[in-house]
Amino acid sequence: MNSASKPVTYNSETISMKKGIGNKFIDDFDKRFKAIPELKLKIKRVVELSKEKNKKPLIISFASEKGGCGKSTMAVTTSQLLANMGFKVQLIDVDNNESAYRMLISRKKNIQEVINNAVKEGVDESLIIDFKTKLDPLVDTALVDKESLTVDLVNEIATDSAYDIIVFDTPGVKEKREENFDLAKLNHAGEVHMILAYLSNSIVIPMRVTPLDITIATRLIYPLSQFVDHLEKMKLAVLKTQARILVNSIDQRTGTALNALEEFQNSSYKQFKTIIRRSDKIAFAPYFEGVQTAFTTKVASQMQESFLEVIDQISDDAMVSLGE
């Protein structure tokens, strides 16, 4: 597999279809949350500043060295919420599991199939798209194999002015974690982490509430922070990349996990103020055939509100990354 076999953009037919999806939904979404108008203005300012100063859309990366930590779920949720606010978002899935890609592409395929069938029956395509304007808007997505991801490819993707924000879902690493930022021992997955540490405005490190997850998350953020500091000191940095740990949990948590969380929250590692509470139903939604949205349960509705707070903090970090 290489980047050529998994193109980073969709054909004009799908892009054209996307324009009509979600127009009415976006207006309704603004009315549901009082903080949305102010947050949208804030994100818009950061996006405009990024395009002006960095000549690129905003780049947000979700990184972890452990599977099952909520990385893909949170990358999808963030992308969808940003799209719900009217921003043009593309999610690039670099994870071998491809769960973020599959979740987002399933909606595109389903909607495209409805349109194609309608056209065959003589129904005007514009009528179908108009009917779909009440759906949450589509997020563009693409697969890139981790062996193919390079600084040049990220820059190529990022110079596509069709997008306001690009979200990367990085590969989880199950071995040799300490080598991710060691140039002498770098593996392919580690190289992805390094490239995105170099080019991202904000890096989000999801961490479940278990002693193991906490240990692994801190093993990533410490060398990552050192790497970013080294780039800045050597005057090689293009951004003041910001990284934070995002604590999240499955609903059931043990006393041991709560104790570990309390100890972690007293540490010096940068972390989001908000703890995301998610459910197994959301976590495994990418594997359900015909899934229509990331928000499938009451817990997910609460998750949206928490994520709006997270997006607000990501915006603050992005502003810092641009030297403001």
Side-chain angles (χ1 to χ4, degrees):
M1 185 191 304
N2 55 48
S3 58
S5 65
K6 299 289 184 180
V8 297
T9 56
Y10 278 90
N11 59 36
S12 58
E13 184 181 62
T14 311
I15 291 289
S16 176
M17 176 189 75
K18 180 182 183 297
K19 289 179 182 176
I21 304 297
N23 290 344
K24 292 178 182 177
F25 181 98
I26 291 169
D27 292 337
D28 292 339
F29 189 76
D30 283 1
K31 296 171 186 176
R32 285 178 57 196
F33 300 99
K34 292 181 180 178
I36 289 292
E38 186 177 344
L39 180 56
K40 284 176 65 171
L41 285 174
K42 187 176 185 179
I43 297 168
K44 184 180 178 183
R45 284 196 296 270
V46 181
V47 168
E48 289 174 349
L49 185 63
S50 179
K51 289 186 176 182
E52 178 188 336
K53 293 186 70 171
N54 201 31
K55 311 302 180 187
K56 294 182 181 69
L58 206 61
I59 298 179
I60 305 168
S61 294
F62 284 77
S64 176
E65 298 181 327
K66 180 182 179 296
C69 66
K71 177 173 58 62
S72 296
T73 302
M74 297 193 174
V76 169
T77 305
T78 298
S79 300
Q80 189 65 63
L81 281 173
L82 288 166
N84 289 356
M85 286 187 268
F87 294 100
K88 297 175 183 176
V89 184
Q90 183 182 42
L91 188 151
I92 306 294
D93 194 341
V94 197
D95 198 336
N96 288 341
N97 290 332
E98 301 180 1
S99 54
Y101 172 84
R102 282 187 282 168
M103 185 174 194
L104 293 172
I105 198 64
S106 67
R107 293 191 64 224
K108 284 180 173 288
K109 287 180 177 178
N110 290 343
I111 293 171
Q112 189 68 66
E113 186 176 347
V114 169
I115 292 174
N116 291 344
N117 290 339
V119 170
K120 287 179 183 177
E121 294 174 6
V123 179
D124 191 296
E125 180 178 323
S126 62
L127 296 177
I128 302 299
I129 291 179
D130 184 62
F131 178 73
K132 297 291 184 181
T133 59
K134 293 182 179 180
L135 290 178
D136 44 353
L138 294 171
V139 174
D140 279 334
T141 185
L143 282 173
V144 175
D145 191 85
K146 62 179 181 290
E147 283 83 0
S148 302
L149 196 76
T150 62
V151 169
D152 287 343
L153 181 58
V154 174
N155 283 330
E156 180 186 333
I157 294 169
T159 52
D160 186 344
S161 59
Y163 301 105
D164 301 311
I165 301 161
I166 298 175
V167 176
F168 281 89
D169 182 11
T170 70
V173 185
K174 295 184 178 178
E175 60 182 348
K176 299 182 179 178
R177 296 184 176 95
E178 72 283 356
E179 298 178 2
N180 269 1
F181 295 92
D182 185 336
L183 288 172
K185 303 176 181 178
L186 200 64
N187 54 42
H188 283 302
E191 189 173 355
V192 172
H193 284 91
M194 187 175 285
I195 289 168
L196 293 175
Y198 174 57
L199 294 172
S200 298
N201 298 86
S202 172
I203 298 177
V204 180
I205 304 168
M207 182 192 79
R208 283 184 57 199
V209 185
T210 71
L212 175 61
D213 285 66
I214 290 172
T215 299
I216 291 174
T218 53
R219 282 181 182 173
L220 173 61
I221 195 169
Y222 178 68
L224 187 155
S225 300
Q226 284 190 317
F227 173 72
V228 170
D229 288 345
H230 176 72
L231 288 177
E232 199 165 340
K233 287 176 183 176
M234 298 295 291
K235 301 189 183 303
L236 298 172
V238 293
L239 293 162
K240 295 183 177 180
T241 301
Q242 302 296 298
R244 290 184 188 271
I245 291 176
L246 178 56
V247 178
N248 72 94
S249 66
I250 301 297
D251 292 340
Q252 299 299 319
R253 292 184 289 171
T254 65
T256 302
L258 290 173
N259 291 337
L261 175 60
E262 185 176 351
E263 184 177 336
F264 171 76
Q265 287 178 319
N266 292 326
S267 71
S268 60
Y269 295 108
K270 286 185 178 180
Q271 51 198 287
F272 288 92
K273 301 171 188 175
T274 309
I275 295 178
I276 302 297
R277 288 175 172 81
R278 63 188 180 90
S279 74
D280 284 322
K281 290 181 181 178
I282 303 167
F284 295 116
Y287 302 101
F288 297 160
E289 186 176 353
V291 65
Q292 289 295 304
T293 177
F295 311 131
T296 57
T297 67
K298 183 178 180 181
V299 175
S301 179
Q302 297 166 353
M303 191 165 125
Q304 289 185 68
E305 296 181 22
S306 297
F307 255 98
L308 291 174
E309 295 175 15
V310 169
I311 289 171
D312 188 22
Q313 293 171 62
I314 287 174
S315 301
D316 289 337
D317 279 351
M319 191 66 79
V320 172
S321 77
L322 294 164
E324 296 293 319

